Amino acid sequence: MQVSVDTTSQIERRITVQVPAAEVDEAVNARLKDAAKNVRLDGFRKGKVPMSVIRQRYGSDVRNEVVGEVMRERYVRAISENELNPAGFPQIEATVNEAGKDLEFVATLEVYPEIELASIEGTEVERPVVEVTDADVDEMIETLRKQNASWEEVERAAEDGDQVTIDFQGFLGDEPFEGGSAEGHELVLGSNSFIPGFEEQLAGVRAGEEKELQVTFPEDYQAENLAGQEATFKVKVQAVKAQALPEVDAEFVERFGVEDGDLDKFRAEVKKNMTREADQAVDNRVKQQVLGALQKANEIPVPQALIQQETDGLKRQAAQQFGLGEDFDVSQLPDELFAEQARSRVEIGLLLAQVIKSSELEAGDDEIRAKVEELADQYQEPEQVVEYYMSNDQMKTQVKSAILEEKAVDKLLEQASVQDVTMSYQEVLAAAQQQTEADDEEEGSEAGEQESNA
């Protein structure tokens, strides 16, 4: 077997392989002889069909089958002997495929890039310093009360935060429009779940009252026939209800897993959960800054095969998120909507892998168990969660990857200039939310730009 490897780009290789004709022809003849033993043709006994007939009828298909096997086997041998690290599957094409001639084929493949990491030294990273206060805990408990509130009818006028039960029908001019009516709809005033102006005009209504509302649909409203249109809604109020907040007593705290109803234990548990959430927000904020600096300092070629794999994964996530069902064909979702996010993820993954490799970072079983126990602490039956993770190789691998990623970020952080910034619990969560929204907006903008360019 003769092999030559051409470098056609930083991450693309073109392998040309020649296999002696005798090897291929012998394999084809052996396969035909083996097949002849079981061939049945009119006028011949089983196994007595002449080889000339066998070759005429089956020679082409058998040769294609043998050549396919030979090319796959020799491709694997070629990348092994030449120490190539493929990223995805190759494109293999036979360039010479005739009996009596040496078989020649070309395999075009992408390989993982060779990365020489540039330092992020001098990068300024803001690290929030957060303390969960008693006032923060009080506010969280108040939020939990509202989430577990009931609604009770009142005989007064509706106020912001009240729930009104309404029948309504929308009109464009004198004509009702499709989808603009409902009966017994429950709407919380101030929730901003209806178009602008609708809820505000219901402030002060009472049960039994009828009212006409004048609104204008936003210019970017999803229904094009309504976008920017002025409309009238005829509304009848069935009921006005106010929130009835539960008392913070033993019965209330038992709902959150504090079985003995101890209020001090409940507050301690709430604070622990809030602290964990704040720590995660801080870690993520620092991590995003570090990874952004890493990408900026290291522009690397990214194999398209890996981008496509990540794109397909993001499509499946989107299908699950929007409840499209297991049978939904994700290929219907355009690649352009996910390609930039996929590229960024792959790029970060390659860079972090190089950090882990060059820094010789490891994660042992003790570290994995400690991380699992930390995760399991959020559940009511942590022992079961730990047992499940530690007995599942796939889950352990995921935890190990997370640990190595954390270690890589910490290693990179040593190169940066870190400035501690005092922030409140609410501020750090708001900052984390803004970062998430900014990332989503950037991804959406990039996808939109690609679509318009197309």
Side-chain angles (χ1 to χ4, degrees), residues 176-250:
F177 58 85
E178 185 178 355
S181 63
E183 293 183 355
H185 184 82
E186 295 178 337
L187 172 65
V188 176
L189 302 186
S191 63
N192 297 319
S193 55
F194 268 41
I195 59 175
F198 190 99
E199 295 174 27
E200 291 86 343
Q201 296 178 63
L202 288 176
V205 298
R206 293 176 176 271
E209 184 176 342
E210 296 184 7
K211 189 170 185 177
E212 287 193 3
L213 313 181
Q214 306 298 323
V215 298
T216 301
F217 282 91
E219 293 289 344
D220 59 352
Y221 194 70
Q222 65 245 24
E224 294 182 3
N225 63 312
L226 298 177
Q229 295 287 334
E230 294 184 358
T232 299
F233 280 89
K234 295 182 179 180
V235 180
K236 181 175 182 180
V237 182
Q238 292 185 10
V240 176
K241 298 179 182 180
Q243 268 193 338
L245 300 178
E247 293 295 328
V248 183
D249 53 18

Side-chain angles (χ1 to χ4, degrees), residues 118-400:
S119 172
I120 65 167
E121 188 171 354
T123 297
E124 295 184 357
V125 173
E126 287 189 353
R127 179 169 56 197
V129 178
V130 185
E131 179 184 358
V132 178
T133 66
D134 288 341
D136 293 328
V137 175
D138 291 338
E139 187 174 347
M140 178 58 71
I141 291 175
E142 191 65 18
T143 299
L144 295 175
R145 290 181 70 201
K146 291 178 180 178
Q147 291 174 350
N148 288 271
S150 58
W151 295 98
E152 296 180 354
E153 286 196 33
V154 293
E155 296 182 359
R156 58 170 172 76
E159 301 173 354
D160 192 48
D162 286 345
Q163 182 189 82
V164 292
T165 305
I166 57 175
D167 302 334
F168 64 85
Q169 185 167 25
F171 296 83
L172 293 178
D174 295 328
E175 294 295 324
F177 58 85
E178 185 178 355
S181 63
E183 293 183 355
H185 184 82
E186 295 178 337
L187 172 65
V188 176
L189 302 186
S191 63
N192 297 319
S193 55
F194 268 41
I195 59 175
F198 190 99
E199 295 174 27
E200 291 86 343
Q201 296 178 63
L202 288 176
V205 298
R206 293 176 176 271
E209 184 176 342
E210 296 184 7
K211 189 170 185 177
E212 287 193 3
L213 313 181
Q214 306 298 323
V215 298
T216 301
F217 282 91
E219 293 289 344
D220 59 352
Y221 194 70
Q222 65 245 24
E224 294 182 3
N225 63 312
L226 298 177
Q229 295 287 334
E230 294 184 358
T232 299
F233 280 89
K234 295 182 179 180
V235 180
K236 181 175 182 180
V237 182
Q238 292 185 10
V240 176
K241 298 179 182 180
Q243 268 193 338
L245 300 178
E247 293 295 328
V248 183
D249 53 18
E251 181 181 353
F252 177 76
V253 303
E254 284 173 3
R255 303 180 194 179
F256 299 93
V258 182
E259 297 180 357
D260 60 5
D262 188 290
L263 298 183
D264 289 336
K265 287 183 181 179
F266 172 63
R267 288 184 64 88
E269 188 66 25
V270 170
K271 185 171 184 176
K272 184 173 74 172
N273 290 336
M274 294 174 69
T275 301
R276 178 169 49 234
E277 187 176 21
D279 289 344
Q280 290 173 350
V282 168
D283 290 345
N284 189 60
R285 184 174 175 84
V286 170
K287 173 183 170 183
Q288 294 307 317
Q289 294 175 77
V290 169
L291 294 183
L294 182 65
Q295 282 185 286
K296 187 175 180 180
N298 295 274
E299 293 186 7
I300 61 172
V302 181
Q304 185 58 42
L306 300 183
I307 295 175
Q308 188 60 56
Q309 289 175 20
E310 188 67 27
T311 298
D312 293 342
L314 289 172
K315 285 183 179 183
R316 289 191 291 271
Q317 288 180 17
Q320 292 175 355
Q321 180 181 351
F322 293 106
L324 298 179
E326 295 181 0
D327 296 332
F328 177 75
D329 182 7
V330 296
S331 66
Q332 298 180 46
L333 299 175
D335 283 359
E336 292 80 6
L337 295 178
F338 307 92
E340 279 304 311
Q341 183 184 6
R343 180 185 181 84
S344 180
R345 285 191 176 191
V346 172
E347 189 174 65
I348 288 173
L350 292 172
L351 291 171
L352 283 176
Q354 186 61 36
V355 174
I356 292 167
K357 179 181 177 181
S358 60
S359 301
E360 299 182 348
L361 302 177
E362 295 288 345
D365 283 346
D366 290 345
E367 291 176 286
I368 294 173
R369 174 172 284 277
K371 187 67 173 178
V372 170
E373 289 175 349
E374 179 185 330
L375 296 170
D377 192 45
Q378 305 174 44
Y379 298 88
Q380 291 187 350
E381 301 291 341
E383 298 85 1
Q384 295 181 10
V385 176
V386 171
E387 182 180 352
Y388 170 71
Y389 269 77
M390 297 306 295
S391 62
N392 186 311
D393 289 340
Q394 183 177 357
M395 301 302 292
K396 283 179 65 177
T397 299
Q398 290 180 8
V399 174
K400 181 178 181 179

Side-chain angles (χ1 to χ4, degrees), residues 27-70:
V28 171
N29 290 333
R31 187 75 56 88
L32 287 171
K33 289 178 180 179
D34 190 55
K37 298 175 183 177
N38 299 305
V39 171
R40 294 179 182 274
L41 288 178
D42 292 342
F44 300 97
R45 289 181 295 166
K46 178 182 177 181
K48 298 297 182 180
V49 181
M51 281 302 300
S52 59
V53 177
I54 295 291
R55 192 177 303 280
Q56 182 180 17
R57 288 200 171 215
Y58 305 107
S60 177
D61 289 341
V62 168
R63 181 175 181 85
N64 288 337
E65 182 180 287
V66 169
V67 166
E69 293 174 1
V70 169

